[in-house]
Each structure stands twice: as structure tokens, then as C-alpha cells.
Amino acid sequence: GLAGVVFHLGPGRELEKNDLLNANVTRARLNVETEKWGDAIDSFDEAIAGLSEQQLELQRQLRLEKAKAQMMDAQLPEARLALDALMQELVDSGEGQTKIAEETRLALASAQYYVTWLMRLEGVGREEWEPEVEAARQNYRILSEMADESGDADVAEKRREDLEATVRLARMDLTELQALPLPS
């Protein structure tokens, strides 16, 4: 009776919001696992919309996951902008060395790499694609240094390979690039 009404108006409302949030996050992550990218993006949007300002860490995590889904859903320019904004926010708030920042930087570097690849295939001038590939190179270099500092030799090696791939992408001539399969 009355206790239920009071609960529903007080703590019950907060729990209901959390249930909805959890359902949206779970649905989004399930859609990612089953590669239903469009549905995942919609679910991430719903989950993010339901968050309060106090849930900043979760909000950033979901924005990162949404951007990764956008990359898979051929929404590379949107993902690239979202990742750039998130990275800037993390750096500005002094969280540039956190795990989420590392994941964001890696996703951003990948987005920058693929944007460069596509710009080059579209015949865009060097002055337009070069800043993009340079940003990817810098991000991979930072990630490589972070991995070295943490003592993770495997990750450091991977980031150095990414860095080398980025340098090759910048140096490759267009006919070489056109002959390669598009990166997945």
C-alpha cells in the first residue's frame, strides 16, 4: 500500500532508472557481440541519455563503445569526431593517462588511420590527409611509450607495429595503396 507508493516516489524511481539503464547497456553490448551495429548505436544512445552527470565514468565508457560500433557501422567520420572530443575531454580533465584514455586513444588512432586510408583512396590532397596520419602516428607513439612504461612488452610491440603501419601508409604511393585490400 502506502509503503509501496512512498518507495516508488523515492528510492524506487532511482532503481527503475538503473534497471532501464542496465537493460539498455546490456542490449547495446549484446548487439555489439552479434554485430548488429545500428541497434547497438541506438541502445548506447538510449543508455547515455538516461545517465546523470554523476555517472561521468560510465558515460565516457559508453561513448567509447558507441564510437567503436560506429566505426564498424561505416560511420567513420562521426566516430572519429566523437573519439576526438572524448580524448580532448579526458586530457583536459587530467585523466589522459587512465585506462579509458588509453582505450580511447587507441580507437582514435585507428579511426585516424582508416580516415587517412579512405581520404587517400578518394584522391584527397596530401595537405588534407597528412594531418590525419600524423595525428594517428603521434597517438600510436604515445601508446607505445605508455606500454613501455607499464612494462607490457606485447602491447608495446603491437603499438610499434601500428606506428610502422601508419608511417608506411603515409609513404606509400597511391597505386600501392589501391592494390591492398581495405583494412577491416
Side-chain angles (χ1 to χ4, degrees):
L2 189 58
V5 170
V6 171
F7 178 80
H8 183 77
L9 294 174
R13 177 147 298 162
E14 207 46 49
L15 289 175
E16 224 172 89
K17 270 171 64 178
N18 283 340
D19 285 348
L20 183 62
L21 172 66
N22 290 336
N24 283 326
V25 171
T26 302
R27 189 177 324 112
R29 288 178 175 158
L30 200 62
N31 284 322
V32 165
E33 280 176 35
T34 55
E35 299 184 6
K36 293 180 183 148
W37 309 117
D39 293 341
I41 292 164
D42 291 343
S43 297
F44 281 127
D45 280 337
E46 286 173 36
I48 292 165
L51 292 172
S52 68
E53 290 92 72
Q54 288 76 38
Q55 294 169 297
L56 190 58
E57 205 171 309
L58 179 58
Q59 185 226 71
R60 287 174 173 163
Q61 184 62 46
L62 296 179
R63 284 167 56 199
L64 172 59
E65 290 179 52
K66 176 190 168 185
K68 287 178 178 179
Q70 284 176 306
M71 285 171 70
M72 301 304 294
D73 196 41
Q75 295 181 33
L76 190 56
E78 297 87 341
R80 157 108 181 44
L81 286 173
L83 290 164
D84 209 18
L86 181 56
M87 193 68 233
Q88 198 56 58
E89 193 180 300
L90 288 162
V91 168
D92 290 347
S93 67
E95 295 176 55
Q97 298 293 318
T98 58
K99 188 80 188 121
I100 178 110
E102 189 179 339
E103 287 176 33
T104 301
R105 189 178 297 280
L106 181 56
L108 177 59
S110 298
Q112 291 163 332
Y113 179 88
Y114 295 127
V115 163
T116 302
W117 187 291
L118 293 173
M119 287 170 100
R120 293 211 52 200
L121 284 180
E122 287 167 9
V124 171
R126 182 177 202 102
E127 67 287 346
E128 273 187 69
W129 61 257
E130 201 166 38
E132 205 61 37
V133 78
E134 181 56 26
R137 197 186 64 72
Q138 285 178 0
N139 279 319
Y140 283 130
R141 184 183 51 76
I142 291 167
L143 288 162
S144 163
E145 289 167 4
M146 286 169 73
D148 280 336
E149 285 166 23
S150 74
D152 195 330
D154 291 345
V155 171
E157 180 59 29
K158 265 189 149 120
R159 295 301 80 91
R160 275 192 289 279
E161 286 168 12
D162 292 334
L163 184 55
E164 287 163 17
T166 306
V167 171
R168 276 197 308 276
L169 175 61
R171 290 185 180 151
M172 211 178 284
D173 72 43
L174 194 55
T175 50
E176 284 178 280
L177 188 66
Q178 288 165 335
L180 291 174
L182 233 81
S184 56

